[in-house]
Amino acid sequence: MKISERVQQVPPSGIRRFFELAEEMDDVISLGVGEPDFSAPWAAREAAIASLERGETSYTANRGKRELREAIGEHVDERYDLSYDPDEEIIVTTGVSEGVDVALRALVDPGDTVAVPDPSYVSYAPGITFAGGDPLPVKTSNHEFKLTVEELQRAGAQHADAILFCYPNNPTGAIMTRSDLEPIAEFAREHDLTVLSDEIYAELTYGREHTSIATLPGMRERTIVFNGFSKAYAMTGLRLGYAMGPPEAIGAMNRIHQYGMLSAPTTAQHAALEALESCDDEVEEMVAQYNRRRNFVLSRFEEMGIDCFEAEGAFYVFPEVPSGDAEAFAEGLLEEQQVAAVPGNVFGEDGKGHLRVSYATGLDDLKTAMARIEAYID
Amino acid sequence: MSKRELLELLLENARYSTEDLARMTGLDEETVVATIESLEAEGVIRGYQAVVDWNEVDEERVRASVELNVTLDRETSYSDISERLARFPEVKTLRLVSGDYDFEMVVEGESMQQVSKFISDKVAPVPEITQTVTHYVMDTYKDRGIRMSEDDDDDRLSISP
């Protein structure tokens, strides 16, 4: 059977090969997990169960339950100073992954270029390729993994059509403050770029408030903001995200979404509504736990003499491996010490020499894993 | 602020080492030690205990929750009665509560007979106590915020995006 050229262009995920290695071994402590080790707050789970008991198993509106869109609108207004109309400017998607996918397909024409920070979440470049566009990696390693105008220009992003980024960042844990974002916004306005801002880790910042680029002057009209319930509410398996942007963009995304996904999972929408309405305390507690683990991991790396900038968001740190060859380091670490961490090159060329270490795992395992890393480098 | 954070961490796991507590809170070890010592000295921290799932231990352990009603007079206050009851080693928890009864008391013993005998011989005869209602604990599902028999296997994908 003929497989489309677009699909053939995209290599299998680098994570996959590593996952298979890890799965073959016993007693592996994984620091390779990109999802919370908590369960969704009980009230949210209970709301999902209750909705099933009531038999609410039908499709919802294509854009998602109106009640949920309203709650999302209120939430982002309160938390991030973002203002969107639930009827025309918000769409509920099957995870942020679907949101980014339909946005790329709605906004990118064949041959268009989309700049992405390098390293980046593994799905961005393939998503751009599937939409017919060309990903343009923009180096970030010289600037604590923040996007800079200098590197955007060096990469030629002034000729691109869009920028897609995620801050707080997977895989590095880097965040972009308002002053970091201002020049990027100016660059986007000057070169008429659409901005796709994946803010799924927005709640997971430590010591600083998240700023959305859409709140900067002149940016709302050219930005799609993505967020969801996977990370802050530990609801990865419920697959629920949302996208917010100008009506014409959200309308275009909805056109694809209504043919492909029809509507996001109904049960998950009930859970999400409850999560927004009553689970702030649980989120706060999870964030406090992540912060303690982050402090722990950073201080252990520092003690080992491993360079690692102070990641201020998400639940990853991105240390440099002493040998410079992250892939060999990660494989050796897995084989000799049964600790799985993902080599940074999986996330892009500029991630090489680094390791993505997730601290979304309990402190006891983290302690053992860090001791094993120490034993491995000795 | 650091006091509260340390208290939360100790409630979560009183066996965290001072080194781990220091790493997690970003404080230095001396500060952690000094803060805990002062919390102990001030009587904020009254002790450290394990939360035990007795179902997992091959040993009989009987626990009863006892409701107590009392009558007060000019000479006797709730704290006088509590002072008397709290001295018994069998009494593990004693609280004054609002509602249908006055005190809520948790009693532990090695057998139902021993617990019953304690209630009838030592508690019921206290002159101010007018009524006791004893509820034997048949199973414990959650104790001090910790779930019993919880399956905490991590079956997430070992590597994920």
Side-chain angles (χ1 to χ4, degrees):
Chain A
M1 189 179 289
K2 178 184 165 293
I3 304 298
S4 83
E5 274 176 33
R6 277 182 195 171
V7 173
Q8 288 190 57
Q9 264 182 51
V10 173
S13 164
I15 282 186
R16 187 74 219 163
R17 195 180 72 80
F18 211 71
F19 166 72
E20 279 159 7
L21 272 177
E23 285 301 284
E24 285 166 11
M25 305 177 72
D26 294 328
D27 187 31
V28 170
I29 297 180
S30 182
L31 306 180
V33 190
E35 64 175 321
D37 59 325
F38 302 102
S39 295
W42 176 242
R45 285 184 272 159
E46 181 78 4
I49 295 166
S51 76
L52 286 173
E53 284 174 343
R54 289 193 302 269
E56 295 183 72
T57 53
S58 317
Y59 297 126
T60 65
N62 293 132
R63 288 168 186 250
K65 278 169 68 66
R66 189 166 196 289
E67 217 180 339
L68 175 59
R69 281 180 278 134
E70 277 172 13
I72 289 168
E74 284 165 24
H75 175 76
V76 296
D77 186 9
E78 196 179 299
R79 293 287 297 135
Y80 311 117
D81 200 20
L82 291 166
S83 171
Y84 289 101
D85 173 7
D87 288 326
E88 300 207 319
E89 298 181 318
I90 299 177
I91 181 170
V92 177
T93 54
T94 306
V96 169
S97 299
E98 193 230 347
V100 171
D101 182 47
V102 292
L104 288 168
R105 287 196 278 152
L107 305 172
V108 172
D109 278 319
D112 280 359
T113 300
V114 181
V116 283
D118 183 3
S120 250
Y121 177 56
V122 291
S123 301
Y124 293 158
I128 294 163
T129 307
F130 290 141
D134 298 315
L136 176 71
V138 180
K139 263 177 88 71
T140 57
S141 64
N142 294 332
H143 309 276
E144 296 196 318
F145 301 104
K146 293 169 192 244
L147 204 53
T148 56
V149 168
E150 183 190 337
E151 295 292 351
L152 279 166
Q153 269 166 340
R154 190 168 296 162
Q158 58 275 26
H159 307 298
D161 301 280
I163 322 180
L164 163 57
F165 57 76
C166 172
Y167 287 97
N169 184 260
N170 174 9
T172 64
I175 66 165
M176 297 267 287
T177 61
R178 178 170 290 271
S179 57
D180 294 328
L181 287 168
E182 273 162 358
I184 306 299
E186 196 183 325
F187 183 86
R189 288 192 302 266
E190 191 183 336
H191 300 289
D192 194 22
L193 301 180
T194 297
V195 174
L196 305 175
S197 179
D198 177 352
E199 300 176 16
I200 184 68
Y201 292 99
E203 287 291 321
L204 307 186
T205 57
Y206 312 104
R208 290 180 201 252
E209 287 287 300
H210 170 73
T211 301
S212 173
I213 194 166
T215 58
L216 299 184
M219 290 309 293
R220 190 184 182 283
E221 53 268 41
R222 60 174 66 254
T223 304
I224 311 283
V225 175
F226 303 90
N227 207 327
F229 298 85
S230 291
K231 310 297 179 177
Y233 298 95
M235 283 169 46
T236 47
L238 274 77
R239 311 303 310 123
L240 209 72
Y242 51 91
M244 301 169 294
E248 65 278 13
I250 298 298
M253 286 168 64
N254 190 42
R255 220 171 302 159
I256 303 173
H257 170 81
Q258 73 189 359
Y259 288 117
M261 202 58 71
L262 284 79
S263 63
T266 302
T267 309
Q269 292 189 51
H270 285 279
L273 184 57
E274 183 67 28
L276 288 177
E277 283 175 352
S278 73
C279 299
D280 288 355
D281 289 351
E282 284 89 339
V283 174
E284 203 177 305
E285 178 51 33
M286 287 190 265
V287 173
Q289 290 266 15
Y290 289 135
N291 192 26
R292 289 169 196 148
R293 297 173 186 176
R294 180 187 73 107
N295 290 339
F296 179 85
V297 170
L298 285 172
S299 94
R300 287 292 278 121
F301 277 128
E302 191 184 342
E303 196 176 64
M304 289 179 217
I306 290 185
D307 284 336
C308 183
F309 81 102
E310 192 175 334
E312 292 178 288
F315 36 58
Y316 311 104
V317 292
F318 208 59
E320 282 180 36
V321 300
S323 61
D325 185 344
E327 193 128 353
F329 184 92
E331 281 188 28
L333 182 64
L334 182 59
E335 275 160 21
E336 286 179 34
Q337 295 288 342
Q338 291 81 51
V339 174
V342 187
N345 52 295
V346 160
F347 304 95
E349 182 66 16
D350 205 25
K352 70 180 183 196
H354 291 263
L355 212 54
R356 187 189 75 172
V357 170
S358 157
Y359 48 87
T361 201
L363 191 76
D364 288 346
D365 276 351
L366 275 181
K367 276 177 74 171
T368 312
M370 297 308 285
R372 290 184 186 179
I373 292 174
E374 192 165 30
Y376 179 66
I377 58 171
D378 273 350
Chain B
M1 184 58 201
S2 62
K3 278 189 179 179
R4 193 191 166 97
E5 194 169 8
L6 282 172
L7 285 171
E8 278 172 7
L9 284 166
L10 290 170
L11 273 174
E12 182 182 291
N13 182 355
R15 295 197 66 193
Y16 281 142
S17 67
T18 49
E19 188 193 342
D20 293 343
L21 290 169
R23 288 185 194 285
M24 285 190 282
T25 55
L27 301 168
D28 55 52
E29 277 192 63
E30 292 74 33
T31 311
V32 170
V33 171
T35 310
I36 293 176
E37 277 174 2
S38 89
L39 287 165
E40 288 170 351
E42 290 161 21
V44 177
I45 295 175
R46 296 279 175 159
Y48 301 91
Q49 287 190 334
V51 178
V52 177
D53 186 349
W54 288 101
N55 287 331
E56 302 292 326
V57 181
D58 225 4
E59 192 180 310
E60 197 179 359
R61 188 100 176 174
V62 174
R63 189 184 268 199
S65 163
V66 186
E67 301 170 6
L68 299 178
N69 271 309
V70 300
T71 50
L72 302 180
D73 56 40
R74 287 185 187 167
E75 268 75 50
T76 319
S77 67
Y78 284 126
S79 53
D80 293 328
I81 302 169
S82 76
E83 185 63 28
R84 194 166 169 182
L85 292 171
R87 286 176 192 276
F88 290 112
E90 291 87 344
V91 175
K92 301 299 176 191
T93 305
L94 181 67
R95 295 189 181 97
L96 182 65
V97 295
S98 62
D100 292 341
Y101 51 95
D102 301 307
F103 286 101
E104 170 193 278
M105 185 167 82
V106 175
V107 176
E108 261 182 27
E110 282 171 15
S111 64
M112 281 176 78
Q113 192 188 16
Q114 195 195 59
V115 171
S116 305
K117 198 166 158 44
F118 170 69
I119 305 291
S120 59
D121 290 0
K122 303 283 170 51
V123 179
V126 172
E128 294 83 6
I129 292 178
T130 56
Q131 189 187 29
T132 69
V133 179
T134 304
H135 306 273
Y136 284 100
V137 175
M138 297 168 73
D139 207 346
T140 301
Y141 304 107
K142 191 174 183 181
D143 189 6
R144 282 170 281 168
I146 295 180
R147 295 264 304 275
M148 301 292 145
S149 316
E150 194 169 39
D151 175 15
D152 26 342
D153 281 352
D154 186 350
D155 63 351
R156 296 175 296 162
L157 287 175
S158 57
I159 306 284
S160 63

mmCIF file of all heavy atoms in Angstrom, chain A residues 67-102:
data_model
loop_
_atom_site.group_PDB
_atom_site.id
_atom_site.type_symbol
_atom_site.label_atom_id
_atom_site.label_comp_id
_atom_site.label_asym_id
_atom_site.label_seq_id
_atom_site.Cartn_x
_atom_site.Cartn_y
_atom_site.Cartn_z
ATOM 1 N N GLU A 67 -21.017 25.453 28.870
ATOM 2 C CA GLU A 67 -20.721 25.704 30.278
ATOM 3 C C GLU A 67 -19.196 25.619 30.525
ATOM 4 O O GLU A 67 -18.625 26.393 31.281
ATOM 5 C CB GLU A 67 -21.409 24.601 31.082
ATOM 6 C CG GLU A 67 -21.995 25.011 32.373
ATOM 7 C CD GLU A 67 -22.630 23.785 33.041
ATOM 8 O OE1 GLU A 67 -22.951 22.795 32.352
ATOM 9 O OE2 GLU A 67 -22.783 23.842 34.275
ATOM 10 N N LEU A 68 -18.575 24.646 29.879
ATOM 11 C CA LEU A 68 -17.129 24.464 30.050
ATOM 12 C C LEU A 68 -16.378 25.618 29.389
ATOM 13 O O LEU A 68 -15.433 26.168 29.960
ATOM 14 C CB LEU A 68 -16.681 23.117 29.455
ATOM 15 C CG LEU A 68 -15.183 22.857 29.464
ATOM 16 C CD1 LEU A 68 -14.606 22.883 30.884
ATOM 17 C CD2 LEU A 68 -14.857 21.492 28.812
ATOM 18 N N ARG A 69 -16.826 26.008 28.186
ATOM 19 C CA ARG A 69 -16.143 27.135 27.506
ATOM 20 C C ARG A 69 -16.262 28.410 28.338
ATOM 21 O O ARG A 69 -15.323 29.194 28.433
ATOM 22 C CB ARG A 69 -16.725 27.336 26.108
ATOM 23 C CG ARG A 69 -16.165 26.326 25.101
ATOM 24 C CD ARG A 69 -16.741 26.532 23.725
ATOM 25 N NE ARG A 69 -18.042 25.912 23.580
ATOM 26 C CZ ARG A 69 -19.109 26.485 23.036
ATOM 27 N NH1 ARG A 69 -19.050 27.741 22.593
ATOM 28 N NH2 ARG A 69 -20.249 25.838 22.926
ATOM 29 N N GLU A 70 -17.434 28.592 28.954
ATOM 30 C CA GLU A 70 -17.600 29.782 29.815
ATOM 31 C C GLU A 70 -16.641 29.718 31.002
ATOM 32 O O GLU A 70 -15.995 30.708 31.355
ATOM 33 C CB GLU A 70 -19.030 29.854 30.359
ATOM 34 C CG GLU A 70 -20.002 30.471 29.388
ATOM 35 C CD GLU A 70 -21.441 30.352 29.892
ATOM 36 O OE1 GLU A 70 -21.655 30.026 31.078
ATOM 37 O OE2 GLU A 70 -22.333 30.589 29.066
ATOM 38 N N ALA A 71 -16.559 28.522 31.609
ATOM 39 C CA ALA A 71 -15.673 28.366 32.769
ATOM 40 C C ALA A 71 -14.220 28.587 32.356
ATOM 41 O O ALA A 71 -13.430 29.182 33.099
ATOM 42 C CB ALA A 71 -15.864 26.981 33.383
ATOM 43 N N ILE A 72 -13.864 28.106 31.170
ATOM 44 C CA ILE A 72 -12.491 28.311 30.666
ATOM 45 C C ILE A 72 -12.231 29.813 30.497
ATOM 46 O O ILE A 72 -11.199 30.335 30.920
ATOM 47 C CB ILE A 72 -12.286 27.557 29.325
ATOM 48 C CG1 ILE A 72 -12.240 26.045 29.569
ATOM 49 C CG2 ILE A 72 -11.012 28.031 28.614
ATOM 50 C CD1 ILE A 72 -12.336 25.197 28.306
ATOM 51 N N GLY A 73 -13.211 30.496 29.906
ATOM 52 C CA GLY A 73 -13.074 31.941 29.691
ATOM 53 C C GLY A 73 -12.847 32.675 31.010
ATOM 54 O O GLY A 73 -11.958 33.529 31.116
ATOM 55 N N GLU A 74 -13.612 32.306 32.022
ATOM 56 C CA GLU A 74 -13.458 32.956 33.338
ATOM 57 C C GLU A 74 -12.110 32.613 33.959
ATOM 58 O O GLU A 74 -11.434 33.456 34.543
ATOM 59 C CB GLU A 74 -14.579 32.512 34.290
ATOM 60 C CG GLU A 74 -15.901 33.189 33.974
ATOM 61 C CD GLU A 74 -17.079 32.501 34.660
ATOM 62 O OE1 GLU A 74 -16.869 31.830 35.687
ATOM 63 O OE2 GLU A 74 -18.198 32.623 34.127
ATOM 64 N N HIS A 75 -11.714 31.351 33.807
ATOM 65 C CA HIS A 75 -10.456 30.890 34.398
ATOM 66 C C HIS A 75 -9.248 31.624 33.794
ATOM 67 O O HIS A 75 -8.394 32.131 34.520
ATOM 68 C CB HIS A 75 -10.328 29.377 34.169
ATOM 69 C CG HIS A 75 -9.022 28.792 34.612
ATOM 70 N ND1 HIS A 75 -8.719 28.572 35.932
ATOM 71 C CD2 HIS A 75 -7.936 28.399 33.899
ATOM 72 C CE1 HIS A 75 -7.497 28.062 36.018
ATOM 73 N NE2 HIS A 75 -6.999 27.948 34.797
ATOM 74 N N VAL A 76 -9.203 31.691 32.467
ATOM 75 C CA VAL A 76 -8.017 32.321 31.850
ATOM 76 C C VAL A 76 -8.000 33.833 32.088
ATOM 77 O O VAL A 76 -6.938 34.448 32.158
ATOM 78 C CB VAL A 76 -7.867 31.992 30.337
ATOM 79 C CG1 VAL A 76 -7.642 30.504 30.138
ATOM 80 C CG2 VAL A 76 -9.037 32.509 29.521
ATOM 81 N N ASP A 77 -9.190 34.393 32.258
ATOM 82 C CA ASP A 77 -9.271 35.823 32.572
ATOM 83 C C ASP A 77 -8.662 36.070 33.956
ATOM 84 O O ASP A 77 -7.819 36.935 34.142
ATOM 85 C CB ASP A 77 -10.751 36.245 32.534
ATOM 86 C CG ASP A 77 -10.914 37.752 32.713
ATOM 87 O OD1 ASP A 77 -9.885 38.453 32.691
ATOM 88 O OD2 ASP A 77 -12.057 38.209 32.884
ATOM 89 N N GLU A 78 -9.092 35.248 34.890
ATOM 90 C CA GLU A 78 -8.637 35.403 36.272
ATOM 91 C C GLU A 78 -7.151 35.075 36.430
ATOM 92 O O GLU A 78 -6.410 35.783 37.088
ATOM 93 C CB GLU A 78 -9.465 34.424 37.124
ATOM 94 C CG GLU A 78 -9.434 34.669 38.598
ATOM 95 C CD GLU A 78 -10.311 33.637 39.290
ATOM 96 O OE1 GLU A 78 -11.530 33.598 39.011
ATOM 97 O OE2 GLU A 78 -9.758 32.853 40.065
ATOM 98 N N ARG A 79 -6.708 34.003 35.798
ATOM 99 C CA ARG A 79 -5.340 33.527 36.005
ATOM 100 C C ARG A 79 -4.317 34.235 35.121
ATOM 101 O O ARG A 79 -3.200 34.464 35.532
ATOM 102 C CB ARG A 79 -5.245 32.015 35.723
ATOM 103 C CG ARG A 79 -5.986 31.148 36.683
ATOM 104 C CD ARG A 79 -5.298 31.063 38.041
ATOM 105 N NE ARG A 79 -3.989 30.444 37.962
ATOM 106 C CZ ARG A 79 -2.910 30.922 38.561
ATOM 107 N NH1 ARG A 79 -2.964 32.011 39.269
ATOM 108 N NH2 ARG A 79 -1.756 30.295 38.445
ATOM 109 N N TYR A 80 -4.667 34.495 33.878
ATOM 110 C CA TYR A 80 -3.648 34.970 32.927
ATOM 111 C C TYR A 80 -3.998 36.289 32.241
ATOM 112 O O TYR A 80 -3.321 36.682 31.291
ATOM 113 C CB TYR A 80 -3.380 33.890 31.852
ATOM 114 C CG TYR A 80 -3.146 32.539 32.437
ATOM 115 C CD1 TYR A 80 -4.003 31.482 32.159
ATOM 116 C CD2 TYR A 80 -2.079 32.307 33.306
ATOM 117 C CE1 TYR A 80 -3.798 30.233 32.729
ATOM 118 C CE2 TYR A 80 -1.866 31.070 33.875
ATOM 119 C CZ TYR A 80 -2.729 30.038 33.581
ATOM 120 O OH TYR A 80 -2.530 28.810 34.147
ATOM 121 N N ASP A 81 -5.103 36.907 32.699
ATOM 122 C CA ASP A 81 -5.496 38.179 32.127
ATOM 123 C C ASP A 81 -5.810 38.061 30.625
ATOM 124 O O ASP A 81 -5.539 38.962 29.842
ATOM 125 C CB ASP A 81 -4.363 39.202 32.366
ATOM 126 C CG ASP A 81 -4.847 40.617 32.247
ATOM 127 O OD1 ASP A 81 -6.069 40.825 32.371
ATOM 128 O OD2 ASP A 81 -4.020 41.519 32.002
ATOM 129 N N LEU A 82 -6.358 36.911 30.239
ATOM 130 C CA LEU A 82 -6.738 36.688 28.838
ATOM 131 C C LEU A 82 -8.252 36.788 28.742
ATOM 132 O O LEU A 82 -8.957 36.294 29.628
ATOM 133 C CB LEU A 82 -6.320 35.280 28.393
ATOM 134 C CG LEU A 82 -4.815 35.008 28.247
ATOM 135 C CD1 LEU A 82 -4.568 33.504 28.134
ATOM 136 C CD2 LEU A 82 -4.264 35.733 27.024
ATOM 137 N N SER A 83 -8.739 37.412 27.691
ATOM 138 C CA SER A 83 -10.182 37.580 27.577
ATOM 139 C C SER A 83 -10.676 37.020 26.234
ATOM 140 O O SER A 83 -10.284 37.507 25.178
ATOM 141 C CB SER A 83 -10.501 39.078 27.692
ATOM 142 O OG SER A 83 -11.841 39.281 27.388
ATOM 143 N N TYR A 84 -11.466 35.966 26.304
ATOM 144 C CA TYR A 84 -11.966 35.340 25.077
ATOM 145 C C TYR A 84 -13.463 35.066 25.180
ATOM 146 O O TYR A 84 -13.969 34.728 26.247
ATOM 147 C CB TYR A 84 -11.223 34.024 24.795
ATOM 148 C CG TYR A 84 -9.790 34.249 24.360
ATOM 149 C CD1 TYR A 84 -8.747 34.095 25.257
ATOM 150 C CD2 TYR A 84 -9.491 34.638 23.060
ATOM 151 C CE1 TYR A 84 -7.430 34.312 24.872
ATOM 152 C CE2 TYR A 84 -8.177 34.863 22.661
ATOM 153 C CZ TYR A 84 -7.163 34.699 23.564
ATOM 154 O OH TYR A 84 -5.875 34.920 23.180
ATOM 155 N N ASP A 85 -14.135 35.195 24.050
ATOM 156 C CA ASP A 85 -15.574 34.954 23.981
ATOM 157 C C ASP A 85 -15.824 33.444 23.848
ATOM 158 O O ASP A 85 -15.353 32.832 22.888
ATOM 159 C CB ASP A 85 -16.126 35.724 22.768
ATOM 160 C CG ASP A 85 -17.585 35.402 22.493
ATOM 161 O OD1 ASP A 85 -18.202 34.680 23.313
ATOM 162 O OD2 ASP A 85 -18.100 35.857 21.456
ATOM 163 N N PRO A 86 -16.552 32.855 24.825
ATOM 164 C CA PRO A 86 -16.767 31.395 24.802
ATOM 165 C C PRO A 86 -17.468 30.908 23.526
ATOM 166 O O PRO A 86 -17.304 29.759 23.134
ATOM 167 C CB PRO A 86 -17.656 31.135 26.012
ATOM 168 C CG PRO A 86 -17.634 32.364 26.830
ATOM 169 C CD PRO A 86 -17.206 33.497 25.963
ATOM 170 N N ASP A 87 -18.250 31.784 22.886
ATOM 171 C CA ASP A 87 -18.996 31.335 21.707
ATOM 172 C C ASP A 87 -18.134 31.270 20.452
ATOM 173 O O ASP A 87 -18.313 30.398 19.611
ATOM 174 C CB ASP A 87 -20.187 32.267 21.452
ATOM 175 C CG ASP A 87 -21.275 32.053 22.490
ATOM 176 O OD1 ASP A 87 -21.431 30.901 22.928
ATOM 177 O OD2 ASP A 87 -21.922 33.044 22.882
ATOM 178 N N GLU A 88 -17.228 32.214 20.321
ATOM 179 C CA GLU A 88 -16.517 32.316 19.040
ATOM 180 C C GLU A 88 -15.013 32.158 19.135
ATOM 181 O O GLU A 88 -14.345 31.981 18.121
ATOM 182 C CB GLU A 88 -16.810 33.696 18.418
ATOM 183 C CG GLU A 88 -18.284 33.907 18.162
ATOM 184 C CD GLU A 88 -18.507 34.878 17.034
ATOM 185 O OE1 GLU A 88 -17.777 35.879 16.992
ATOM 186 O OE2 GLU A 88 -19.375 34.599 16.196
ATOM 187 N N GLU A 89 -14.495 32.276 20.351
ATOM 188 C CA GLU A 89 -13.024 32.343 20.435
ATOM 189 C C GLU A 89 -12.396 31.222 21.256
ATOM 190 O O GLU A 89 -11.203 31.253 21.535
ATOM 191 C CB GLU A 89 -12.610 33.709 21.019
ATOM 192 C CG GLU A 89 -13.044 34.869 20.126
ATOM 193 C CD GLU A 89 -12.623 36.215 20.684
ATOM 194 O OE1 GLU A 89 -12.738 36.427 21.913
ATOM 195 O OE2 GLU A 89 -12.178 37.057 19.885
ATOM 196 N N ILE A 90 -13.220 30.274 21.654
ATOM 197 C CA ILE A 90 -12.684 29.145 22.437
ATOM 198 C C ILE A 90 -13.187 27.842 21.817
ATOM 199 O O ILE A 90 -14.358 27.729 21.469
ATOM 200 C CB ILE A 90 -13.153 29.210 23.924
ATOM 201 C CG1 ILE A 90 -12.642 30.499 24.588
ATOM 202 C CG2 ILE A 90 -12.661 27.987 24.709
ATOM 203 C CD1 ILE A 90 -13.103 30.707 26.026
ATOM 204 N N ILE A 91 -12.269 26.890 21.701
ATOM 205 C CA ILE A 91 -12.682 25.546 21.253
ATOM 206 C C ILE A 91 -12.058 24.512 22.180
ATOM 207 O O ILE A 91 -10.890 24.621 22.556
ATOM 208 C CB ILE A 91 -12.302 25.282 19.773
ATOM 209 C CG1 ILE A 91 -12.775 23.901 19.340
ATOM 210 C CG2 ILE A 91 -10.794 25.427 19.537
ATOM 211 C CD1 ILE A 91 -12.663 23.658 17.828
ATOM 212 N N VAL A 92 -12.879 23.541 22.583
ATOM 213 C CA VAL A 92 -12.393 22.459 23.452
ATOM 214 C C VAL A 92 -11.940 21.319 22.541
ATOM 215 O O VAL A 92 -12.665 20.921 21.628
ATOM 216 C CB VAL A 92 -13.514 21.981 24.406
ATOM 217 C CG1 VAL A 92 -13.034 20.821 25.261
ATOM 218 C CG2 VAL A 92 -13.981 23.140 25.285
ATOM 219 N N THR A 93 -10.727 20.842 22.791
ATOM 220 C CA THR A 93 -10.138 19.838 21.902
ATOM 221 C C THR A 93 -9.753 18.569 22.670
ATOM 222 O O THR A 93 -9.743 18.560 23.899
ATOM 223 C CB THR A 93 -8.868 20.405 21.230
ATOM 224 O OG1 THR A 93 -7.985 20.871 22.250
ATOM 225 C CG2 THR A 93 -9.205 21.539 20.289
ATOM 226 N N THR A 94 -9.427 17.532 21.911
ATOM 227 C CA THR A 94 -9.020 16.275 22.532
ATOM 228 C C THR A 94 -7.538 16.382 22.901
ATOM 229 O O THR A 94 -6.667 15.893 22.205
ATOM 230 C CB THR A 94 -9.282 15.116 21.558
ATOM 231 O OG1 THR A 94 -10.644 15.195 21.162
ATOM 232 C CG2 THR A 94 -9.046 13.778 22.221
ATOM 233 N N GLY A 95 -7.296 17.047 23.991
ATOM 234 C CA GLY A 95 -5.918 17.335 24.402
ATOM 235 C C GLY A 95 -5.373 18.508 23.609
ATOM 236 O O GLY A 95 -5.926 18.883 22.555
ATOM 237 N N VAL A 96 -4.298 19.101 24.117
ATOM 238 C CA VAL A 96 -3.653 20.191 23.381
ATOM 239 C C VAL A 96 -3.082 19.633 22.074
ATOM 240 O O VAL A 96 -3.027 20.325 21.059
ATOM 241 C CB VAL A 96 -2.544 20.851 24.235
ATOM 242 C CG1 VAL A 96 -1.693 21.791 23.401
ATOM 243 C CG2 VAL A 96 -3.166 21.621 25.394
ATOM 244 N N SER A 97 -2.723 18.351 22.078
ATOM 245 C CA SER A 97 -2.163 17.744 20.857
ATOM 246 C C SER A 97 -3.100 17.917 19.670
ATOM 247 O O SER A 97 -2.669 18.301 18.581
ATOM 248 C CB SER A 97 -1.912 16.253 21.077
ATOM 249 O OG SER A 97 -0.997 16.087 22.115
ATOM 250 N N GLU A 98 -4.381 17.649 19.901
ATOM 251 C CA GLU A 98 -5.320 17.823 18.784
ATOM 252 C C GLU A 98 -5.451 19.304 18.441
ATOM 253 O O GLU A 98 -5.536 19.677 17.273
ATOM 254 C CB GLU A 98 -6.709 17.258 19.131
ATOM 255 C CG GLU A 98 -7.597 17.139 17.898
ATOM 256 C CD GLU A 98 -9.007 17.740 18.025
ATOM 257 O OE1 GLU A 98 -9.426 18.060 19.156
ATOM 258 O OE2 GLU A 98 -9.673 17.896 16.999
ATOM 259 N N GLY A 99 -5.449 20.136 19.475
ATOM 260 C CA GLY A 99 -5.576 21.578 19.239
ATOM 261 C C GLY A 99 -4.458 22.095 18.352
ATOM 262 O O GLY A 99 -4.700 22.831 17.381
ATOM 263 N N VAL A 100 -3.229 21.711 18.663
ATOM 264 C CA VAL A 100 -2.083 22.169 17.869
ATOM 265 C C VAL A 100 -2.188 21.603 16.456
ATOM 266 O O VAL A 100 -1.952 22.306 15.461
ATOM 267 C CB VAL A 100 -0.750 21.740 18.540
ATOM 268 C CG1 VAL A 100 0.439 22.020 17.629
ATOM 269 C CG2 VAL A 100 -0.566 22.466 19.873
ATOM 270 N N ASP A 101 -2.575 20.346 16.369
ATOM 271 C CA ASP A 101 -2.689 19.704 15.056
ATOM 272 C C ASP A 101 -3.713 20.423 14.170
ATOM 273 O O ASP A 101 -3.417 20.781 13.025
ATOM 274 C CB ASP A 101 -3.069 18.233 15.252
ATOM 275 C CG ASP A 101 -3.167 17.483 13.944
ATOM 276 O OD1 ASP A 101 -2.242 17.627 13.117
ATOM 277 O OD2 ASP A 101 -4.162 16.753 13.734
ATOM 278 N N VAL A 102 -4.908 20.685 14.709
ATOM 279 C CA VAL A 102 -5.921 21.342 13.856
ATOM 280 C C VAL A 102 -5.523 22.788 13.576
ATOM 281 O O VAL A 102 -5.805 23.317 12.488
ATOM 282 C CB VAL A 102 -7.369 21.274 14.398
ATOM 283 C CG1 VAL A 102 -7.899 19.864 14.381
ATOM 284 C CG2 VAL A 102 -7.532 21.903 15.751
#
